[in-house]
Amino acid sequence: MTTQSTSPRHTVIGLDGSAGAAKALAWADAHPELIGRLRPVAAWRTPWWAVTPPSPGSVAPPPLDDVIDEVRRTAESMMANTVGDHDPVFVVQGGAGHNLVDLADDADLLVVGTRGRNAVADHLLGSVSSHVVAHAPCPVVVVPRDAEAAQAITRVVVGVDGSTQSLDALRWALANAPEGAEVEAIQAWSYAPYAGFEVTALDPALIEGQARASLNELVDKATGEIDRRVIRTVVSGDPRSVLAEAGETADLLVVGARGHRGVAHLLLGSVTTALAHRPPTPLVVVPEPDQK
C-alpha cells in the first residue's frame, strides 16, 4: 500500500521582486512540511542596450554585471526574512519560465504567484506563471495574491471527473496533505456532455447517479493505494464554478492538468485553465505522467 513519502523534499520558486512572487514565497515559507527545502531562482535576460551600440552623446549604460548583481540582490532581499530551509539564490540567464521548468525536473513542487495588470485582473497569471503551469514536470502551486499565507492547511478539495489525470490529483492530495487535514473529492455534473439530446428526456437522477458511481470508483482506487479518509461530494453545475466556490472555503485546491473536458492536443484543460488564472485559494496543478 502506498503511503506518504518520507524522502527529503525540495521546491523550486521563482523570485522577480514582484508582489505575486513575495506572496508565493511567504506561503511556501509557512508550509515547510509540504515544501521541504526551498530552491530560489532568479532569472535575467540580456538587456537590449547590451547588444546595441549607444548613440553618440548618450549616457553609457551600466555594466552588465551590475544588472546581474541587482537581480541577485533583489532575490536575496526577498529571502532575507524566510525561516525555512533553503539553498542560496540561483541566478540564471534566459527566460524565467523555461528555466524554472528545467530546474524543476527533479523537484517535488514548483511554486509561483499570480500577477494582475490592474485591479480587475488582480488574480490573472503572468506569462511566466502560465508557461510553468502548462509545462512543469512536477506539481505546480499557484498562490493568489490575496491568499492568507500563514493559513494552516486543514481542508483540501480535489476536483475529479473520472479521468486518470484527476486520479493522479487525488493520489497527490492523499499523499501530501498534512496529517489530520480533511480531503474532499468533488465531482460536478451537468447536461453539457449531452448536448444535442433532448434535455427534457434526460433524467437528472440518472446523470447524477453516473457521476456518483464514477466518483466512488475513483476514490476507492485511490484509497486502496493510500489509506486515508476522503469525503465524497457530487454537485450539479459547471465544474469551473463548482470548484471555484468550493475553493473559497478550502486551504488548498488540487486538480489534474487535464480531465475529460480537455482537448487532447492541449496541455491544460478548460477547467484547470480557468482555475489557474483565477485561483480562489492556493491551487495545485498535477501534471500528466508523461510530463514528469
Side-chain angles (χ1 to χ4, degrees):
M1 179 175 292
T2 305
T3 58
Q4 288 180 302
S5 173
T6 56
S7 60
R9 300 176 59 84
H10 78 270
T11 295
V12 171
I13 186 167
L15 301 180
D16 62 2
S18 68
K23 178 54 68 77
L25 176 60
W27 182 87
D29 194 44
H31 298 90
E33 75 288 348
L34 184 62
I35 297 302
R37 187 175 181 86
L38 200 59
R39 181 185 297 173
V41 176
W44 65 276
R45 287 181 179 272
T46 303
W48 65 269
W49 45 257
V51 294
T52 303
S55 59
S58 63
V59 178
L64 191 57
D65 285 347
D66 288 357
V67 176
I68 300 172
D69 287 343
E70 178 61 24
V71 169
R72 184 187 303 278
R73 284 195 297 271
T74 297
E76 289 177 344
S77 176
M78 295 181 73
M79 294 296 299
N81 295 321
T82 58
V83 297
D85 191 21
H86 63 84
D87 294 339
V89 172
F90 183 61
V91 179
V92 60
Q93 180 182 10
H98 292 286
N99 275 299
L100 288 171
V101 168
D102 289 343
L103 292 169
D105 187 58
D106 62 345
D108 296 290
L109 282 177
L110 199 165
V111 178
V112 294
T114 55
R115 183 178 63 203
R117 292 168 300 218
N118 51 50
V120 175
D122 190 53
H123 296 286
L124 293 179
L125 288 184
S127 59
V128 172
S129 301
S130 295
H131 180 86
V132 164
V133 169
H135 297 278
C138 65
V140 176
V141 184
V142 181
V143 182
R145 289 178 63 178
D146 59 355
E148 294 291 338
Q151 178 71 36
I153 300 174
T154 60
R155 180 171 181 256
V156 179
V157 168
V158 186
V160 302
D161 63 1
S163 66
T164 56
Q165 291 81 11
S166 65
L167 177 59
D168 287 339
L170 182 56
R171 285 169 171 158
W172 186 91
L174 293 175
N176 292 278
E179 185 177 353
E182 174 184 281
V183 177
E184 180 179 11
I186 297 180
Q187 177 146 347
W189 68 271
S190 70
Y191 291 111
Y194 303 92
F197 289 85
E198 193 66 47
V199 174
T200 56
L202 297 175
D203 182 359
L206 176 61
I207 302 175
E208 181 177 356
Q210 291 173 338
R212 189 170 299 281
S214 172
L215 171 64
N216 287 334
E217 180 180 0
L218 186 141
V219 173
D220 288 345
K221 185 171 185 177
T223 54
E225 301 165 352
I226 304 174
D227 187 13
R228 189 163 184 171
R229 179 175 178 269
V230 176
I231 298 172
R232 310 177 190 212
T233 303
V234 175
V235 181
S236 171
D238 184 290
R240 290 165 292 193
S241 300
V242 168
L243 293 176
E245 183 177 354
E248 291 178 356
T249 57
D251 305 306
L252 202 62
L253 178 60
V254 185
V255 294
R258 186 179 69 225
H260 282 322
R261 292 175 178 268
V263 179
H265 68 280
L266 297 179
L267 288 171
L268 295 180
S270 61
V271 174
T272 301
T273 298
L275 292 171
H277 277 280
R278 295 185 180 276
T281 193
L283 170 75
V284 181
V285 178
V286 180
E288 295 183 76
D290 60 0
Q291 282 183 247
K292 299 177 182 178

